[in-house]
Amino acid sequence: GEISLREHEVLSLCSEQDIEGWLEGVNSRGDRGLFPASYVQVIRAAEPPPPARYANVPVGGFEPLPSPAAFKPAAQQPPPEPFPPPPAGYPFPPYGGSYQPSQGSDDDWDDDWDDSSTVADEPGALGSSYPDYEAAGGGASGRYRLSTRSEPSLGPRGAGHPPGHPHPPGGGGAAKSSATVSRNLNRFSTFVKSGGEAFVLGEASGFVKDGDKLCVVLGPRGPEWQENPYPFQCSIEDPTKQTKFKGMKSYIAYKLVPSHTGQQVHRRYKHFDWLYGRLAEKFPVISVPHLPEKQATGRFEEDFISKRRKGLAWWMDHMCSHPVLAQCDAFQHFLTCPSTDEKAWKQGKRKAEKDEMVGANFFLTISVPTGPGASLDLQEVESQVDGFKAFTKKMDESALQLNHTANEFARKQVTGFKKEYQKVGHSFKCLSQAFELDQQAFSAGLNQAIAFTAEAYDAIGDLFADQPRQDLDPVMDLLALYQGHLANFPDIIHVQKGALTKVKESKRHVEEGKMELQKAEGIQERCNIISFATLAEINHFHKIRVRDFKSQMQHFLQQQILFYQKVTQKLEEALHKYDNV
């Protein structure tokens, strides 16, 4: 966030790089944050250094300063004080999760199983790479975590340096010229919030159980997620209105029947919403499909319930089809926990919320191919990702255009076409009524045939009005699901691009003799893991896209053919009425 400044105050710069006119630094009160570059003048090394009162900056707590910037030499600093805890009401959680549960009024959230526990409330929930503030000697509160960029300065468990871990400034290695890969100035970027930066810089550590491992394998199209050995599907049926609190509270429950258990369970929309939030936070390089939108009013109307059920069915299909999401513990708990066992539901819910394999630790769970021929060429990866980025942009534009066109066409069929055909039918009917004034026996057959033609056109108008829900609506449902996926990929690509930037930076340091080769290789190896996962997700997206659009276009054309066959049948029936006139 932004920090306040006073005139003539001297600040310590964290980096001379400005981002969109902002610099990052520490003011005289020890607050670290951003301030406008135009407000300050940089003091060079030749000028007097700042007074010793700035020595409360924790050793290794911030990035090493560029050599030209003024700063008191580390050797002359008094022992560091612990990092101050965030102020009360600090608005940002200690982990990165871009998902924020929506606060709409659809389906209450203050239900009996909704307790106040969240990941941020559980001490140590994020694993050993985010130690509790209390463990670092920081007072009574154990709620806030410190990101351990320089873990050795935090206590005994930081002894030694993991590969690729930055050395604290002023440490034993100060005699030798050394450099670390800098942290991003924008601490709210997806790369930082997802834990990707901490992982690439070697700051993630934790024990990965066999059940948590996610395997990427080399397939015919490149890296792929290892297939689910036990594939399954899950149907969503019979949305029913239910009540609680003696009828004071109403909600819609959906019946889920997973094929691998055969046991039906009932879930509300808020349960879907909770699951989506957990998965979107846990899997930063996987595109978790978006749920159909919330609706505050009219949510018990039949058309809305039917539309939402279809949207949830598409969502469930994509969840079950994804090799990683389908096997996730939180998703399996959602599918299999009996609706009547409230205790088991709460236990599974809390377990998912205390999952330690999130943020930087998530990337530790990814297992990639090793051995000869398994390494990725960084330039080729960058080229593939750039190509996919251009593809998603174009697909998003064309999906929006098709959705607008289909919506407009459906609207015309429901209102305009129906009205026009029925206007033609009404005109034929008026003609037959006029002919009926002639009482000649030989004209009776003609009158009846024209009246039948009028009814045929009236019926064709109704067919046009009913048709969009058979062919155009399913296409628009699919486009809505894919627009959600396309909205996810910029963040996924950003994580991969951020990792690639760190590799380039480390290579430059090696060439300049400022970084050990082993440390740079560690950064590249961890970037490779993110690249493998990103390419696997891109391949899965293409595979599922071809499957879905093939199926949906076949369905659309089949429905169009059936529709025009019905129209033709109506016209043929009318035509035959004239045979005996």
Side-chain angles (χ1 to χ4, degrees):
E2 188 178 352
I3 57 173
S4 58
L5 313 177
R6 287 197 294 265
E7 193 177 5
H8 305 307
E9 183 178 6
V10 182
L11 299 100
S12 302
L13 274 183
C14 295
S15 169
E16 283 197 82
Q17 172 195 0
D18 76 274
I19 179 166
E20 296 178 3
W22 293 80
L23 288 169
E24 183 178 21
V26 185
N27 65 15
S28 58
R29 295 176 295 286
D31 299 331
R32 178 184 176 177
L34 303 177
F35 51 88
S38 58
Y39 284 19
V40 298
Q41 178 183 358
V42 178
I43 303 171
R44 298 292 163 186
E47 300 176 46
R53 68 169 182 258
Y54 303 115
N56 65 343
V57 179
V59 174
F62 306 133
E63 282 83 70
L65 302 185
S67 52
F71 193 74
K72 193 175 179 71
Q76 299 174 23
Q77 291 184 13
E81 297 173 16
F83 195 82
Y90 191 65
F92 306 108
Y95 53 83
S98 58
Y99 173 75
Q100 294 292 330
S102 46
Q103 299 297 320
S105 60
D106 179 29
D107 292 334
D108 69 311
W109 276 88
D110 52 342
D111 202 353
D112 32 26
W113 61 261
D114 280 314
D115 52 36
S116 60
S117 71
T118 65
V119 175
D121 293 330
E122 306 293 342
L126 297 179
S128 57
S129 71
Y130 294 84
D132 295 341
Y133 174 68
E134 192 170 17
S141 171
R143 266 187 84 149
Y144 297 102
R145 252 73 76 184
L146 297 181
S147 174
T148 60
R149 191 183 74 80
S150 295
E151 240 174 56
S153 67
L154 291 177
R157 52 176 163 178
H161 291 280
H165 199 86
H167 290 268
K176 180 187 171 187
S177 173
S178 65
T180 57
V181 175
S182 64
R183 284 169 160 263
N184 285 20
L185 184 59
N186 179 7
R187 306 310 295 161
F188 307 118
S189 74
T190 307
F191 179 50
V192 175
K193 287 161 61 183
S194 69
E197 182 189 65
F199 171 72
V200 170
L201 297 181
E203 298 167 17
S205 60
F207 176 71
V208 181
K209 294 178 287 190
D210 286 345
D212 288 334
K213 284 183 181 171
L214 311 175
C215 294
V216 178
V217 296
L218 281 174
R221 294 180 295 273
E224 296 178 348
W225 294 113
Q226 190 173 55
E227 286 298 324
N228 182 0
Y230 307 106
F232 65 93
Q233 291 298 320
C234 179
S235 62
I236 299 183
E237 306 162 5
D238 305 335
T240 53
K241 186 176 180 181
Q242 298 183 7
T243 59
K244 55 190 277 186
F245 304 136
K246 296 183 179 178
M248 291 174 66
K249 175 71 185 170
S250 300
Y251 58 88
I252 301 296
Y254 298 86
K255 184 171 82 174
L256 277 57
V257 186
S259 63
H260 62 316
T261 64
Q263 300 296 315
Q264 68 179 46
V265 295
H266 288 85
R267 297 286 181 257
R268 294 170 58 182
Y269 182 85
K270 69 169 186 179
H271 299 138
F272 285 90
D273 205 23
W274 169 81
L275 176 64
Y276 172 80
R278 302 311 316 157
L279 299 178
E281 180 195 326
K282 180 173 173 63
F283 298 113
V285 290
I286 289 176
S287 178
V288 180
H290 289 203
L291 288 165
E293 290 182 1
K294 281 177 171 282
Q295 180 163 314
T297 57
R299 62 182 189 273
F300 299 128
E301 292 174 6
E302 194 173 325
D303 283 352
F304 173 72
I305 293 169
S306 172
K307 184 173 175 59
R308 175 181 271 184
R309 189 199 67 77
K310 289 172 186 172
L312 289 174
W314 269 118
W315 181 87
M316 183 63 74
D317 176 72
H318 274 220
M319 289 292 298
C320 296
S321 301
H322 198 289
V324 174
L325 298 177
Q327 299 180 78
C328 171
D329 287 346
F331 184 50
Q332 286 298 322
H333 173 66
F334 173 83
L335 293 179
T336 58
C337 182
S339 313
T340 52
D341 194 340
E342 189 178 323
K343 186 177 179 183
W345 173 264
K346 282 185 179 179
Q347 285 175 343
K349 180 173 176 280
R350 289 197 183 107
K351 182 185 174 187
E353 289 167 352
K354 292 179 184 178
D355 186 0
E356 294 187 1
M357 291 296 132
V358 295
N361 284 356
F362 161 75
F363 296 98
L364 296 173
T365 65
I366 300 172
S367 168
V368 301
T370 54
S375 62
L376 295 171
D377 179 83
L378 289 183
Q379 281 187 323
E380 192 178 326
V381 170
E382 192 167 18
S383 173
Q384 282 181 270
V385 171
D386 285 343
F388 181 70
K389 187 178 179 181
F391 168 84
T392 54
K393 186 174 184 293
K394 192 69 178 171
M395 181 178 172
D396 193 37
E397 290 169 0
S398 57
L400 277 170
Q401 182 186 4
L402 177 56
N403 191 61
H404 174 75
T405 305
N407 199 43
E408 190 66 16
F409 188 45
R411 187 187 64 77
K412 286 177 180 175
Q413 284 187 228
V414 171
T415 54
F417 288 16
K418 177 180 179 178
K419 187 177 177 183
E420 293 303 317
Y421 271 88
Q422 290 182 343
K423 195 183 286 184
V424 172
H426 179 70
S427 299
F428 280 133
K429 189 176 181 182
C430 289
L431 181 65
S432 72
Q433 287 171 344
F435 283 2
E436 281 173 7
L437 295 176
D438 174 24
Q439 297 297 321
Q440 301 291 340
F442 60 81
S443 69
L446 176 65
N447 298 346
Q448 290 168 2
I450 295 176
F452 190 87
T453 304
E455 290 171 7
Y457 271 82
D458 207 51
I460 289 171
D462 288 331
L463 286 176
F464 268 104
D466 291 339
Q467 188 56 25
R469 71 179 63 187
Q470 309 300 329
D471 49 28
L472 288 171
D473 282 1
V475 169
M476 289 190 282
D477 288 340
L478 180 65
L479 290 174
L481 182 74
Y482 271 86
Q483 282 171 318
H485 280 302
L486 294 169
N488 289 339
F489 273 107
D491 282 349
I492 293 172
I493 290 170
H494 183 75
V495 172
Q496 198 279 330
K497 288 278 190 187
L500 216 54
T501 303
K502 299 300 179 195
V503 171
K504 290 175 181 175
E505 200 176 325
S506 68
K507 283 185 173 179
R508 193 170 65 250
H509 286 325
V510 170
E511 287 166 6
E512 293 169 356
K514 294 179 180 177
M515 180 182 276
E516 296 168 8
L517 182 62
Q518 185 183 359
K519 189 181 286 188
E521 284 173 348
I523 290 175
Q524 179 161 344
E525 189 180 315
R526 290 186 287 274
C527 173
N528 260 359
I529 290 173
I530 293 179
S531 296
F532 265 113
T534 305
L535 293 178
E537 188 61 18
I538 288 172
N539 272 332
H540 176 76
F541 174 81
H542 283 312
K543 181 179 171 185
I544 217 81
R545 172 183 60 84
V546 171
R547 181 202 74 171
D548 288 345
F549 278 87
K550 173 192 172 183
S551 162
Q552 200 56 59
M553 290 308 296
Q554 285 175 326
H555 175 81
F556 173 76
L557 292 171
Q558 286 163 354
Q559 290 298 321
Q560 283 276 288
I561 291 166
L562 283 172
F563 168 68
Y564 284 108
Q565 283 174 344
K566 287 179 189 173
V567 172
T568 305
Q569 185 183 349
K570 291 286 182 190
L571 296 175
E572 284 177 344
E573 287 173 3
L575 177 62
H576 290 314
K577 293 292 180 184
Y578 294 87
D579 291 347
N580 299 320
V581 171

